[in-house]
Amino acid sequence: MRMLLRCAARANPQYEHIAGRARARGIFTLRPRHKSFRSLFSNTDSLESGTFTLKVLTGAAVFAAFIAAVNLRPSILHAASSSSISPPQRTFRLSEVRAHGCNATEKWVTKGTKVYDITDWIPGHPGGEVILRAVGGAIDQYWEIFAIHEKQEVYDILEGFYIGDVDPQDLVDGKVPDEHIDDPFVHDPKRDERLVVLTGRPFNAETPQGSLDTFVTPTETFYVRHHMWVPDLDPAKQKLVVELPDGEEMEYSLSDLQRKFEAVRITATMQCSGNRRGHMTEKARSTKGLQWGSGAISNGIWTGVRLRDVLQDAGFPISDVPDEVKHVQFMGAEAYGASIPIDKAVDKRGDVILAYALNDEPLPADHGYPLRVVVPGNVAARSVKWLSRIRLSEEESQSQWQQRDYKCFGPNVSGDPDWTTAPAIQEVPVQSAITSLRNISAQSQSDRKLLHSYGLEEDGIAVEGYAFSGGGRRIIRVDVSANDGKTWQQAELLPNEDLGAKAWAWQRWRWILPRSQAGKCFVVKAVDEAYNTQPGEYEANWNFRGNLTQAWHRVGYDNDALRKND
């Protein structure tokens, strides 16, 4: 009966909780560990009809094969899950839970005061091996990081693995003591106080406006986007594993990469897919995700080695890519994962690098120390930090950050869509924003010199900002308006210090006009070299995740208020 319930659960998830409850009562004490058990029943139709074929494989050879006609019907399984299976009355000391950590055969966690054996759930966990961080201890602090855990069906899945409760002897005021709950953020670094913080755990913060006014963003105020914690890595011990299509692996230390390959420097803009999401929420409809303003973007000088050089050294034919290899998957040490198309990875002019420095200094911990991927022209979600593994594959990364979070749907789609119908975001569309709006006085010597350079004698207004387009597409024009889009002028495109094969960095721009011509709202829109431009309104591109917000950026103007801030 133990085998039948386990196999039924593998074949049809609706029976998973039944097997879990049966285990919890101690009915089953043995677990088949070989991976072939996962595919014992590949035909769920035969299970539903009342018969199935059972194959038992040992290692690479067939040890035995037999056919069993079993009258296993859903009614029997539903009976097994009825109230006749009462909750277990077992209790466990916290020392017993700790003994079932990463190195144990059976892996346990606590949530609240309950104990769960999640051994069988780990291979199917949507978040990958990140769940291993919690085994042998409390899962509460990890559970709270991800909003998806708050769904009732996720709680129901966890309850299927319930095996007992924490022994009351180990509880303080009815709770697991704090000293038994690990803090996953204990190694997070100290941050600059100027960053505009959205969340503290995990840490997410925008670049402050003052740091958006330079071509190269200062490292200490470079925007930070974390999904989890900052791992504590020793560069002397950390290895990068490159996994080839045939399963062969090559390992590189940071010193190996720096010694064996040519160092390259590129200027590249990192932009979160949620940059300006808050604007979409404010001007159109509510969106899900962090409500970023226009500061989830920064530009830096990245130093590293070409990905294509490392792949070639590892034995991959970059000049004659096999048809079955379509993606390069990246995995971070904290369990984040993403992928890019193979064409981008091996393109001589694609400039994908494995970076170990930002702005000519070693990568800070918040930005991937000791090694990260930089995929210029693509959404920053593909530039995986704390890089630990590269895999050449026919498939995209199966992480939730590739398969769910970073996708866009139509304005009519909300809630929980069919995620498979939309491709993962790679290159980003054209974007621009106003980052500075200030009065210029003809009475000031320094301001007067600036006004004269634009042919002005009277007081003026200086408007500055950034423009950027993905795929290395150069910004060719920035249109600005002082009267909410009724009339337009072209901004000056400021000199850039580009490094790289294409325009991977943002374009800084400036417009100075007489103060007398200013209306109540300034507007900006950009045009790239493919003549892509931005939509005027947010509703046209609204999507429930608020990704790739790019409508015209509007900033209100109040001369009196601005004068007070001068």
Side-chain angles (χ1 to χ4, degrees), residues 123 254 274 329 512:
L254 179 59
Q329 301 179 6
I512 295 179

Side-chain angles (χ1 to χ4, degrees), residues 142-161:
Y142 298 95
W143 189 274
E144 294 166 1
I145 294 173
F146 303 102
I148 193 172
H149 289 156
E150 300 308 314
K151 293 185 176 183
Q152 185 58 47
E153 54 263 38
V154 180
Y155 280 99
D156 292 342
I157 290 172
L158 182 65
E159 285 304 310
F161 298 99

Side-chain angles (χ1 to χ4, degrees), residues 6 10 16 20 23 31 33 97 100-102 104-111 114-125 128-139 142-143 154-155 157-163:
R6 280 182 56 82
R10 293 294 187 195
E16 179 68 51
R23 279 199 311 273
R31 286 193 174 94
R33 289 294 172 191
V97 176
H100 289 81
C102 280
T105 302
E106 298 178 354
K107 296 173 173 56
W108 295 3
V109 297
T110 65
K111 187 174 190 312
K114 293 184 176 181
V115 181
Y116 303 89
D117 178 350
I118 62 169
T119 307
D120 293 335
W121 174 234
I122 292 172
H125 181 235
E129 294 185 353
V130 64
I131 198 170
L132 293 176
R133 284 284 303 240
V135 297
I139 202 171
Y142 298 95
W143 189 274
V154 180
Y155 280 99
I157 290 172
L158 182 65
E159 285 304 310
F161 298 99
Y162 170 57
I163 59 172

Side-chain angles (χ1 to χ4, degrees), residues 8 54 113 209-210 262 286 304 395 409 420 436 544 563:
L54 174 63
T113 60
Q209 279 203 343
E262 177 189 3
S286 176
E395 293 183 325
F409 294 86
T420 64
S436 175
F544 76 94
R563 185 181 293 114

